[in-house]
Amino acid sequence: MDAAVYHGEGDIRVEEVPDPEIEEPTDAIVRITHTAVCGSDLWFYRGQRDYPTPGRVGHEPMGVVEAVGDDVTHLRPGDRVLAPFAISCGECEFCRKGLYTSCVEEEGWGGEHDGAQGEKVRAPYADGTLVRVPERHANDEDVLEALLPLTDVMCTGHHAAVSAGVEAGDTAVVVGDGAVGLCGVLAAKRLGAERVIAMGHHEDRLAIAAEFGATETIAARGEAAVERARELTYGGANHVLECVGAESSMDTAFAVARPGGTVGFVGVPMGVDEAAFLDDAFRKNVALRGGVAPVREYVDDLMADVLQGTLDPSPIFTKTVDLDGVPEGYAAMDERDAVKVMVKL
């Protein structure tokens, strides 16, 4: 079968790899129909994070079950499924408390394992990981495209909002206008925020934020952006969503947080060395909560909203490619020509 493989900085190739097979009785084989390129994929694509070379890529799978192991009880061939970016057994201490990304099995998509940017994957711990799409929606393309972000970015934006403590009537500031930040806007509105202020550098992306319910947007950098956010929030916001992971975005998040407020952080922390923002956190008693999003904990509730038509994050996909177009998709996101790329097989 064909799959996308990483061969070094800026080098993604679609090439032939072995077909996956059932290896454990808890496995399933899934034929991929939809997947995506993630902003976090750009860290290794740019050579800024170590990654197996050659290594399979992609961690946002959606497809159809083709085969199941003998111990799989919740799925059968023909089921439409999606999967969180983290594989989880569903049975360990951390899975039972909803912290699926800390599963003791420590399995994930890509690298030395099957990546979602390919024709098929072997899904370990299928009962704990794969989420079945109700049969009546299994072939509704609009619904499937709205569900695809739940494999990662929509649930990650939701984790930022939950971690920041957003509730009905609140004012929230979202730092970052990538796919996660835009989904953070959706999540904050879904949780009932009265005002959502989106901060970013790209007018086209902030236009999507406004479409998603942002009441104000700030297209500025550095101190000018911080001053404008403080002005709009009368001194700072109690709830700040940090959705980038860079040192500058962390600085901004804590600078715009109100004393006693909370920063919910979900951006993969890359290049955060000095952590000067901790001085702001200490001085203002600002809490820091968040981390890698436990998608499996959130996906059922968010799916219910998608299926009833009250949540649609699909506008984050501003470019669509086929499997052969995956290298082009990485380049488009790297060059900021696309917010997020959908891959349809």
Side-chain angles (χ1 to χ4, degrees):
M1 70 171 209
D2 289 339
V5 180
Y6 174 73
H7 284 275
E9 183 177 344
D11 187 1
I12 301 287
R13 307 175 198 171
V14 177
E15 56 193 33
E16 190 173 282
V17 301
D19 287 347
E21 298 179 349
I22 298 288
E23 298 178 11
E24 300 290 341
T26 52
D27 289 349
I29 303 300
V30 178
R31 174 176 56 83
I32 301 298
T33 60
H34 301 70
T35 185
V37 181
C38 184
S40 64
D41 293 332
L42 298 180
W43 293 117
F44 65 75
Y45 181 75
R46 294 168 175 164
Q48 296 173 310
R49 178 165 69 87
D50 291 338
Y51 200 82
T53 307
R56 296 278 300 278
V57 290
H59 57 255
E60 299 162 286
M62 174 186 284
V64 177
V65 174
E66 287 201 336
V68 298
D70 290 342
D71 291 350
V72 175
T73 59
H74 297 160
L75 300 161
R76 64 181 186 271
D79 283 346
R80 167 76 64 176
V81 294
L82 58 86
F85 64 80
I87 292 166
S88 52
C89 72
E91 298 177 350
C92 71
E93 169 193 353
F94 303 107
C95 288
R96 290 198 306 270
K97 68 169 64 173
L99 199 58
Y100 293 93
T101 45
S102 294
C103 176
V104 298
E105 299 298 340
E106 297 184 332
E107 295 264 13
W109 307 107
E112 298 173 355
H113 302 284
D114 292 351
Q117 293 163 17
E119 291 184 287
K120 298 180 184 181
V121 293
R122 179 180 72 90
Y125 306 102
D127 279 340
T129 299
L130 300 179
V131 180
R132 191 172 65 87
V133 177
E135 187 173 354
R136 66 185 180 278
H137 300 288
N139 296 302
D140 186 325
E141 184 62 27
D142 289 341
V143 170
L144 296 177
E145 292 183 11
L147 286 173
L148 182 59
L150 273 58
T151 59
D152 186 342
V153 290
M154 184 62 230
C155 292
T156 297
H158 180 68
H159 188 50
V162 170
S163 298
V166 177
E167 296 180 349
D170 286 339
T171 293
V173 170
V174 179
V175 179
D177 57 9
V180 172
L182 295 175
C183 288
V185 171
L186 271 179
K189 292 298 290 186
R190 178 180 177 275
L191 291 171
E194 184 175 327
R195 297 179 68 202
V196 179
I197 300 165
M199 303 181 69
H201 304 147
H202 307 88
E203 293 286 359
D204 57 335
R205 299 179 178 210
L206 291 175
I208 298 174
E211 177 185 340
F212 281 177
T215 52
E216 294 105 331
T217 60
I218 299 173
R221 297 175 182 266
E223 191 56 37
V226 170
E227 288 181 2
R228 179 58 177 155
R230 286 175 174 162
E231 177 185 356
L232 289 172
T233 57
Y234 311 103
N238 283 316
H239 313 281
V240 181
L241 287 63
E242 195 288 315
C243 299
V244 181
E247 185 133 26
S248 59
S249 60
M250 294 294 283
D251 289 342
T252 296
F254 280 94
V256 302
R258 202 173 195 85
T262 302
V263 173
F265 80 113
V266 295
V268 179
M270 296 295 294
V272 178
D273 299 316
E274 297 180 7
F277 53 83
L278 291 178
D279 180 63
D280 255 349
F282 183 82
R283 181 172 50 83
K284 298 195 296 186
N285 279 280
V286 172
L288 176 64
R289 298 185 65 235
V292 57
V295 169
R296 188 65 188 85
E297 174 71 359
Y298 301 133
V299 69
D300 292 317
D301 284 347
L302 296 178
M303 179 186 288
D305 281 10
V306 171
L307 298 184
Q308 69 182 7
T310 58
L311 177 66
D312 181 9
S314 64
I316 61 170
F317 295 118
T318 58
K319 183 178 179 66
T320 300
V321 298
D322 59 12
L323 184 57
D324 288 335
V326 167
E328 174 192 344
Y330 273 81
M333 286 184 61
D334 182 43
E335 296 163 7
R336 296 292 191 268
D337 290 335
V339 177
K340 189 169 179 67
V341 172
M342 178 165 56
V343 183
K344 294 177 66 173
L345 283 73

